[in-house]
Amino acid sequence: MRDILPVLNGWYTAGLPFGLATVVSTSRSAPRDPGAAMAVGPDDEVVGSVSGGCVEGAVFELAQEVVASGEARLETFGYSDEDAFAVGLTCGGEITLLVRSVTAATDPAFAEIAESVAAGRPVTVATVADGPAHRGATLAVWPDRVAGTLGTTGLDVAVTADARGELALGATGLRHYGPRGERREDAVGVFLHSFAPPPRMLVFGAIDYAAAVARIGAFLGYRVTVCDARPVFATPKRFPEGVEVVVDWPHRYLGGTETDDRTVICVLTHDPKFDVPLLEEALRRPAAYIGAMGSRRTHDDRMKRLTESGLTEAERSRLRSPVGLDLGARTPEEVAVSVAAEIVALRWGGSGAPLTATAGAIHPSA
């Protein structure tokens, strides 16, 4: 959804209605997560995807019908022996889509939502998916204000409180309430779509490997910063456009930078005077991933130094070193793929093994 918002906002500001299909729930081996979106706009232009190609044809027709009628629809697609290749999910999963028409009349805050997302300001969009409330009604929730309504004051109050809680976690999903916001009832399904700022990737050491890691980090959706104390290496022209480059001692920069449970820290300095003080700081703060480059000999020396610095065994165990999965990587680009693969595997609990050597769901529940 984040990726296609600029196109949608262009249609919206031009006064062109469009059909928006959003994945609101999944089961088993569904190909896309809740929040994935596809839109059908003027001249039948299509942007986005809800299944990677399995049901897009059926969703295209459904979106056209919704724009023509103005009535939102909730549809579930799953595997079917009879029509799996026509409108079913061949992967065997199941997705439920909320399809609604978006216009200035139905979504007066849409442009402001798009602007907030583009600027990295957090916002959650709550949309009625099912139940006695008006399907398709939206409520935009920022940390300090709201816009729109789901139909009743009680429902708005309950959803606003939950939306702000989900926003703090960057969580997206379907929640259930009573018609007036009662929390122990499930008559009304409300989809909470959180647009938290992109997670940070902090890369330390402005070497060739850092440029490749920064490039793949940006591709994965991270807001990337590269930091090095040596100004001759830390120059923006050596890195992809959009990557922030900082000249500072790594441990000092990290000490003044906020991190959270989504932050990725890649230490590529490969020099004890840089990486040991840096890792002392990193391993004592919130982060989703902390990896350090180096040979096994370098790793052993580094762990000895970290032990002598007073880091506990639990703190040291957070370090992924040598960094990356065993892919036999050689070039900076191949090493970057190895590092990215380890980050993704750690995020979702993957084993890193070839899928041919595993069994069960390919896309297990997070």
Side-chain angles (χ1 to χ4, degrees):
M1 183 65 171
R2 186 187 299 272
D3 294 338
I4 67 175
L5 261 178
V7 175
L8 304 189
N9 196 39
W11 294 342
Y12 181 87
T13 55
L16 302 172
F18 57 88
L20 178 61
T22 305
V23 178
V24 297
S25 68
T26 65
S27 66
R28 301 191 301 278
S29 186
R32 301 296 303 275
D33 291 326
M38 168 182 159
V40 179
D43 300 322
D44 294 336
E45 182 181 354
V46 177
V47 293
S49 171
V50 291
S51 73
C54 296
V55 302
E56 267 68 6
V59 176
F60 174 81
E61 296 179 1
L62 183 58
Q64 289 180 315
E65 295 172 6
V66 166
V67 171
S69 68
E71 296 294 325
R73 300 264 295 274
L74 190 70
E75 297 286 344
T76 297
F77 294 88
Y79 182 81
S80 165
D81 290 335
E82 296 180 358
D83 57 4
F85 292 99
V87 295
L89 292 179
T90 57
C91 62
E94 186 176 275
I95 60 173
T96 298
L97 305 176
L98 175 64
V99 188
R100 62 191 183 91
S101 177
V102 177
T103 66
T106 60
D107 288 79
F110 189 89
E112 189 177 2
I113 293 167
E115 180 183 356
S116 293
V117 174
R121 294 192 295 269
V123 59
T124 294
V125 181
T127 309
V128 174
D130 200 11
H134 179 65
R135 180 178 291 155
T138 61
L139 176 70
V141 181
W142 288 269
D144 58 349
R145 67 190 190 283
V146 300
T149 180
L150 302 181
T152 67
T153 301
L155 186 58
D156 287 349
V157 169
V159 171
T160 296
D162 288 352
R164 286 179 174 147
E166 299 295 278
L167 189 57
L169 300 172
T172 287
L174 194 62
R175 306 291 181 264
H176 293 87
Y177 306 86
R180 295 178 177 80
E182 299 89 341
R183 296 183 182 277
R184 295 191 178 184
E185 298 184 24
D186 60 1
V188 180
V190 179
F191 182 63
L192 301 181
H193 194 170
S194 296
F195 294 94
R200 299 287 304 275
M201 172 182 278
L202 305 176
V203 182
F204 295 95
I207 60 177
D208 289 344
Y209 291 95
V213 170
R215 188 175 300 111
I216 203 166
F219 176 75
L220 291 175
Y222 288 94
R223 180 164 69 91
V224 182
T225 299
V226 176
C227 175
D228 198 301
R230 303 163 296 180
V232 66
F233 295 112
T235 61
K237 66 181 181 181
R238 299 186 65 235
F239 296 93
E241 184 179 357
V243 171
E244 180 187 26
V245 180
V246 174
V247 179
D248 199 352
W249 279 83
H251 72 281
R252 184 168 60 192
Y253 174 76
L254 182 58
T257 300
E258 184 178 350
T259 64
D260 59 28
D261 291 336
R262 302 184 301 155
T263 303
V264 165
I265 300 174
C266 297
V267 179
L268 313 181
T269 47
H270 217 305
D271 185 331
K273 71 174 177 290
F274 290 125
D275 60 20
V276 171
L278 171 59
L279 288 170
E280 285 185 56
E281 176 69 34
L283 293 169
R284 289 178 169 137
R285 59 168 49 232
Y289 174 91
I290 304 170
M293 176 177 282
S295 67
R296 298 195 186 280
R297 178 180 297 177
T298 298
H299 168 75
D300 291 341
D301 178 69
R302 180 187 291 137
M303 294 302 285
K304 179 182 177 182
R305 292 171 184 265
L306 291 174
T307 301
E308 292 172 349
S309 72
L311 284 173
T312 66
E313 182 178 354
E315 290 168 336
R316 298 195 305 273
S317 69
R318 299 177 62 203
L319 180 62
R320 315 289 290 194
S321 172
V323 70
L325 296 185
D326 180 14
L327 304 182
R330 294 291 188 274
T331 68
E333 290 73 21
E334 289 173 344
V335 170
V337 170
S338 168
V339 173
E342 185 174 44
I343 291 170
V344 172
L346 188 62
R347 178 184 181 187
W348 297 111
S351 67
L355 288 174
T356 54
T358 65
I362 294 175
H363 307 289
S365 299

